[in-house]
Structures are given as structure tokens and as C-alpha cells.
């Protein structure tokens, strides 16, 4: 398995693999990706019927930067991010590296692929810059990785994804500087 960084992703095969991952794991997300207009919308309540595909989400995703995990030249996992993004929900005006989506196919989970994605993002940015992401409060797999990597919870939006399911924002200030 190796990881590649693409500021702009143009490889048709990789894009096709990412589309398949989005379709396969659409309903692993709360709400499903197919119920979202884009990768960073604020209003996340509501769901979608299971036969709808996450096409709009994919169109927005394609404009972003990527880390892709490859096994025999096929994408088995990806992280997408926006390099200088201001999160409206955080109301702080700070430009951050904003991780929008991560999917690792089930067969490849628990091997540190997501941990490696984050470590590569830290190495790509300058010292004192921040990496920010958000997830839903019941996504324990993702939150465990974030806590291990030293992210801090910076905002909770109660019940925004359904009763008892909050939106949670996490941020890490990168201390080591680029390529450390
Ligand atoms: C959340 C998700 C992205 C995590 O991906 P992952 O690649 O399995 O994550 P990691 O392997 O880095 O970390 C998971 C566990 O593996 C462990 N791990 C890390 N390196 C490892 C290694 N070399 N060998 C074995 N296990 C390892 C981690 O410590 C962690 O263990 P823990 O359960 O004891 O905390 C994945 O479950 C997923 O795709 N979920 C569905 C979509 C989703 O929720 N995306 C995030 C919301 S945007």
C-alpha cells in the first residue's frame, strides 16, 4: 500500500474508484453523502432515500485536494481536503486545512491508513497552521483516531444530525513544521 498526494486529481481511474467508494459507503455517513449538497454544508439534518447516488457531493469533491491510498494502483481509501478554508460554523475567521471526507474500504480498516493520511497532511503544512475536521458524535472510529493524533474538540452543535447526534469539530495546531 502506498499513499499519493494530489493537489488536483485528474487520474480517471482514481476518480472512478473514489466514486465507487462514495456510493458503497454513502450510508455509513450521518446524514448520507447523497443527502448533502456539498462537502461542507452547515445544515446537516434530514436523510435521503437509499436509491439516490451522491453525485452532487462527488462534483464538489473533485475540486478538492486528495491523499489516496493505493493497492495495485486502485484506490482503497482517500482523504479530501481544502488547503485554506474558513469554517463558517466556527465563527473565528481562521484559515485552516480543512479535511472534508475520509473513506477507507472495510477490508483495509484498522491498519493505520487514516492515521497515515493525517500525518501526511501535518507534514504538508507550515508550523502553527491548523488542521480542522468535523464528524458526527457517534463516529467513534474517526474520533478515536483524532484523539490519538492530538486533535481537540473545538465546537459541538447539539442534535444537528438527529436526536442525540451532534456535529463535532476538531482542530490540531501543527507544531513540528513542514516535513517533520
Ligand atoms: C473512520 C475511518 C476513516 C478510519 O479509517 P482506518 O484507516 O481504519 O483508521 P486507522 O487504521 O488509522 O485507525 C483505526 C484503528 O487502527 C489502529 N491502527 C493504527 N495503525 C495500525 C497498524 N499499523 N496496524 C493495525 N492497527 C493500526 C488505530 O490505532 C486505530 O485503533 P484503535 O481502534 O485501537 O483506536 C474508517 O473507519 C471509515 O472509512 N469509516 C467510514 C467513513 C467515515 O466514517 N469517515 C470519517 C467521517 S468524514
Amino acid at each position: 500500500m502506498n499513499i499519493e498526494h494530489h493537489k488536483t486529481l485528474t487520474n480517471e481511474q482514481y476518480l472512478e474508484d473514489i466514486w465507487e467508494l462514495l456510493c458503497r459507503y454513502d450510508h455509513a455517513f450521518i446524514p448520507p453523502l447523497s443527502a448533502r449538497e456539498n462537502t461542507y454544508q452547515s445544515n446537516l439534518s434530514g436523510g435521503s432515500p437509499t436509491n439516490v447516488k451522491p453525485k452532487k457531493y462527488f462534483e464538489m469533491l473533485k475540486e478538492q485536494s486528495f491523499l489516496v491510498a493505493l493497492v495495485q494502483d486502485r484506490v482503497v481509501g482517500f482523504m479530501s481536503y481544502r488547503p485554506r478554508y474558513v469554517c463558517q460554523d466556527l465563527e473565528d475567521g481562521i484559515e485552516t486545512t480543512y479535511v472534508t471526507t475520509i473513506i477507507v474500504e472495510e477490508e483495509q480498516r484498522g491498519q493505520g491508513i487514516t492515521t497515515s493520511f493525517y500525518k501526511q497532511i501535518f507534514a504538508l503544512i507550515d508550523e502553527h497552521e491548523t488542521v480542522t475536521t468535523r464528524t458526527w458524535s457517534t463516529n467513534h472510529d474517526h474520533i478515536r483516531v483524532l484523539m490519538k493524533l492530538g486533535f481537540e474538540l473545538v465546537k459541538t452543535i447539539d442534535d444537528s444530525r438527529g436526536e442525540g447526534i451532534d456535529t463535532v469539530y476538531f482542530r490540531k495546531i501543527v507544531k513540528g513544521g513542514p516535513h517533520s
Side-chain angles (χ1 to χ4, degrees):
M1 198 272 304
N2 66 308
I3 293 178
E4 285 182 6
H5 178 230
H6 293 261
K7 253 184 162 171
T8 307
L9 189 55
T10 53
N11 182 309
E12 288 297 330
Q13 182 61 57
Y14 292 179
L15 285 166
E16 200 174 302
D17 292 345
I18 287 169
W19 168 244
E20 277 169 23
L21 287 171
L22 285 181
C23 292
R24 184 149 27 122
Y25 296 108
D26 182 18
H27 285 262
F29 287 76
I30 302 175
L33 302 175
S34 52
R36 307 181 195 188
E37 290 291 312
N38 54 50
T39 55
Y40 47 85
Q41 82 181 63
S42 287
N43 180 4
L44 288 161
S45 56
S48 75
T50 48
N51 58 349
V52 174
K53 293 207 185 278
K55 225 173 168 333
K56 276 188 188 154
Y57 193 89
F58 184 52
E59 291 308 315
M60 295 300 293
L61 197 68
K62 283 196 289 191
E63 294 165 13
Q64 300 177 24
S65 300
F66 284 86
L67 290 168
V68 290
L70 302 166
V71 171
Q72 291 170 346
D73 287 334
R74 300 305 289 259
V75 178
V76 298
F78 74 90
M79 169 184 277
S80 56
Y81 73 97
R82 290 181 176 274
R84 278 174 296 280
Y85 182 70
V86 177
C87 301
Q88 298 302 328
D89 280 347
L90 296 183
E91 298 170 310
D92 57 8
I94 292 175
E95 280 194 347
T96 185
T97 297
Y98 186 59
V99 171
T100 62
T101 316
I102 314 165
I103 300 178
V104 173
E105 67 176 29
E106 261 162 318
E107 299 79 6
Q108 302 289 338
R109 289 182 194 168
Q111 299 177 55
I113 293 177
T114 297
T115 305
S116 301
F117 284 153
Y118 277 113
K119 286 184 174 168
Q120 292 219 15
I121 288 280
F122 302 156
L124 284 166
I125 68 175
D126 290 328
E127 191 169 7
H128 304 309
E129 283 188 39
T130 61
V131 178
T132 308
T133 193
R134 74 173 178 195
T135 190
W136 57 98
S137 54
T138 54
N139 191 345
H140 305 296
D141 288 342
H142 189 195
I143 292 170
R144 205 163 43 228
V145 175
L146 294 170
M147 298 315 284
K148 279 191 181 176
L149 288 168
F151 278 81
E152 286 180 17
L153 179 66
V154 288
K155 183 158 185 165
T156 300
I157 306 173
D158 291 337
D159 299 324
S160 71
R161 310 217 182 190
E163 207 183 315
I165 310 176
D166 310 330
T167 291
V168 280
Y169 278 89
F170 289 87
R171 174 165 282 172
K172 180 181 164 82
I173 302 170
V174 174
K175 298 242 170 64
H179 313 297
S180 62

